[in-house]
Amino acid sequence: MKHSRFYQTVVAVAMMLIGWLPSLAHDFEVDGICYNILSDNSVEVTYNGSSYNNDYEDVIIPETVTHDGSTYSVTSIGESAFYDSKLTSIKIPNSVTGIGNSAFAFCTSLTSLEIPNSVTSIGSYAFIECSSLASIEIPNGVTYIDECVFLDCTSLTSIEIPNSVTSIGRSAFYHCSSLTSIEIPDSVTSIGDYAFSGCSSLTSAVIGNGVTNIGESAFVYCSSLTSVEIRNGVTSIGKSMFSGCSSLTSVKIPDSVTNIEFGAFQMCTSLTSIEIPDSVTNIGSYAFNGCSSLASVEIPDSVTSIGSGAFDGCSSLTSIEIPDSVTNIGSYVFNECSSLASVVIGNGVSCIGYYMFSCCSSLTDIEIPNSVTSIEANAFFYCLNLTYIEIPNSVTMIGESAFQKCTSLTSIEIPNSVTSIGNMAFMYCANLTSIEIPNSVTSIGYGAFSYCTGLKSIEI
């Protein structure tokens, strides 16, 4: 996966740390390791402060260290302590309880690391771009996996999240491209934005029962992800959560979910079916955009809103029924659904929006309910096989290019309720033979019937 603008921003922020590293001074040095005094009896390992590149390679940190007659316990690895060093291995003693922000950032030669159970906190960016790190065990005392902790650890193949963890931060495992599976324990209640984004080798993910909040783009571009188990408790499938998961074939949405947000399953090109539970009230814009293998979907009566482009480009979708409960439906919703042959529009729909059925080349006929008052621009543009459509008396407006290039349309009756016909509304309807325009029509746009070569009569 190409690095996104977000990724580049994260790395840029981390690199800014370099600007102040040389100004850090350590209190003393013992056996090549630099320390800062924290209290009368404790110290932290710190950056050596002499150059942009630490000299650390193989390091054994002692539990205690003596300086000027005083003995100190080594209780933490300080912020940026081994930043951008040549570190290949390290032993951390049981006296250490914390690992600071960016502590091992850009340690590209570090292959493995054992963190003792004494550690209860690991700071943000702690292991960012440790590109050779193949395995690591998070100790049981850690309650929060901070933001960007393992970002771009491209050799990390597996990780076990202990039951002590309650939250996974933003971009925690972003672009861990060798990570193959993940099981999130029930103790976790929140997964941050982009947490597993770009984990291109991830094949399965189990999300624990405790999770109630999953952030934006949490699994975006996990291109090998084939199955996802989402447990009850999650209330929303977040913005772009599974966008670009091109191997995802099935997913079960639990009854706790009420909202499928913007682009949630966008470009999940292997998704063949999905069951939307009765709890869902909103299907967001572009939620299933580009799901080219999606052959069927049932929209439950609980849904009241379908956003723009929700099923745009679902080229395998053959039929759809919009329930009466849907009162708000956006534009482009079924644009380029080239296999869509059967459509039922519920009585709650008041508008056939912009490009709603544009390029639905398998659509032969459609019934528009009496609730509809307008057919917007390009609503049925390029529906090549549409032979018949009944426009109800409730419709007052036929928009620009609404039926343009409906080349199989042979007849259409415009009801007395219509007052305006937009520009190019029936342009290129070559098989249209006759049309009657009622007295109610006060406005006909330019080219409304241009290139209707089979039209023999227009009665106004």
Side-chain angles (χ1 to χ4, degrees):
M1 183 192 77
K2 292 183 178 179
H3 288 168
S4 68
R5 184 175 297 177
F6 171 76
Y7 169 84
Q8 292 165 352
T9 301
V10 168
V11 174
V13 168
M15 293 296 287
M16 285 172 63
L17 296 170
I18 294 175
W20 54 263
L21 283 173
S23 65
L24 294 176
H26 54 273
D27 292 329
F28 63 90
E29 182 179 334
V30 175
D31 296 331
I33 301 175
C34 299
Y35 300 93
N36 277 335
I37 298 172
L38 299 176
S39 67
D40 290 342
N41 57 11
S42 67
V43 293
E44 68 174 4
V45 178
T46 191
Y47 186 80
N48 66 19
S50 62
S51 66
Y52 288 160
N53 247 326
N54 271 319
D55 294 329
Y56 298 125
E57 290 186 21
D58 299 314
V59 173
I60 299 175
I61 300 173
E63 287 196 6
T64 60
V65 65
T66 301
H67 174 68
D68 282 348
S70 296
T71 299
Y72 301 92
S73 177
V74 181
T75 58
S76 68
I77 298 172
E79 188 167 334
S80 304
F82 297 97
Y83 187 101
D84 199 26
S85 73
K86 299 174 183 177
L87 190 69
T88 56
S89 66
I90 187 168
K91 184 174 182 181
I92 302 171
N94 289 320
S95 57
V96 171
T97 59
I99 296 173
N101 297 342
S102 306
F104 297 94
F106 302 100
C107 290
T108 56
S109 298
L110 186 64
T111 57
S112 64
L113 178 69
E114 185 174 337
I115 303 173
N117 284 325
S118 56
V119 172
T120 58
S121 66
I122 301 172
S124 60
Y125 299 90
F127 298 96
I128 182 174
E129 286 213 33
C130 289
S131 54
S132 298
L133 189 65
S135 64
I136 192 167
E137 188 172 332
I138 300 170
N140 288 319
V142 172
T143 59
Y144 176 50
I145 299 176
D146 214 328
E147 68 171 323
C148 304
V149 171
F150 299 102
L151 187 145
D152 218 29
C153 289
T154 53
S155 296
L156 193 65
T157 56
S158 64
I159 193 159
E160 185 175 339
I161 299 173
N163 289 322
S164 57
V165 173
T166 60
S167 182
I168 298 171
R170 179 182 175 92
S171 304
F173 298 94
Y174 188 105
H175 200 235
C176 289
S177 55
S178 296
L179 192 65
T180 57
S181 65
I182 192 76
E183 185 171 345
I184 298 166
D186 292 344
S187 59
V188 173
T189 60
S190 176
I191 300 172
D193 297 345
Y194 298 93
F196 297 94
S197 172
C199 293
S200 55
S201 296
L202 193 67
T203 58
S204 64
V206 177
I207 299 171
N209 286 322
V211 175
T212 57
N213 180 46
I214 302 176
E216 174 182 330
S217 303
F219 295 92
V220 67
Y221 294 122
C222 291
S223 55
S224 297
L225 191 64
T226 58
S227 65
V228 175
E229 187 176 345
I230 304 171
R231 309 278 178 82
N232 278 313
V234 176
T235 57
S236 178
I237 307 297
K239 181 179 178 182
S240 302
M241 187 185 292
F242 298 103
S243 178
C245 292
S246 54
S247 297
L248 191 65
T249 56
S250 64
V251 62
K252 185 177 180 182
I253 301 173
D255 292 335
S256 54
V257 170
T258 60
N259 187 20
I260 299 173
E261 293 189 31
F262 179 101
F265 296 95
Q266 189 171 28
M267 299 306 294
C268 290
T269 53
S270 297
L271 190 66
T272 57
S273 64
I274 192 159
E275 186 176 338
I276 300 173
D278 290 335
S279 55
V280 172
T281 60
N282 175 63
I283 298 173
S285 296
Y286 302 98
F288 297 95
N289 170 243
C291 292
S292 55
S293 297
L294 189 64
S296 65
V297 65
E298 185 176 338
I299 300 171
D301 291 336
S302 56
V303 173
T304 60
S305 177
I306 301 174
S308 296
F311 297 94
D312 181 7
C314 292
S315 54
S316 296
L317 194 65
T318 57
S319 64
I320 196 77
E321 183 173 343
I322 302 168
D324 292 344
S325 58
V326 175
T327 56
N328 180 35
I329 190 164
S331 56
Y332 291 89
V333 174
F334 301 102
N335 178 53
E336 294 195 10
C337 291
S338 55
S339 298
L340 191 62
S342 172
V343 175
V344 176
I345 302 172
N347 287 316
V349 175
S350 60
C351 173
I352 307 297
Y354 296 100
Y355 291 90
M356 186 182 288
F357 297 101
S358 175
C359 299
C360 291
S361 54
S362 296
L363 194 63
T364 57
D365 63 87
I366 188 168
E367 184 176 340
I368 299 173
N370 289 322
S371 56
V372 172
T373 59
S374 64
I375 299 173
E376 301 287 347
N378 298 90
F380 296 94
F381 174 81
Y382 212 68
C383 288
L384 296 176
N385 290 304
L386 188 66
T387 57
Y388 174 76
I389 190 163
E390 184 176 341
I391 301 174
N393 286 320
S394 54
V395 172
T396 60
M397 187 269 285
I398 298 173
E400 182 175 316
S401 300
F403 296 94
Q404 186 182 152
K405 292 194 175 181
C406 291
T407 53
S408 296
L409 193 65
T410 57
S411 65
I412 192 162
E413 185 176 335
I414 299 173
N416 290 322
S417 56
V418 173
T419 59
S420 68
I421 298 173
N423 300 332
M424 304 174 286
F426 295 91
M427 180 182 275
Y428 293 111
C429 290
N431 285 306
L432 196 63
T433 57
S434 65
I435 194 158
E436 183 177 339
I437 300 171
N439 293 330
S440 58
V441 175
T442 57
S443 173
I444 301 176
Y446 69 84
F449 300 96
S450 293
Y451 302 102
C452 291
T453 53
L455 197 60
K456 295 174 183 178
S457 65
I458 298 179
E459 188 175 335
I460 301 175

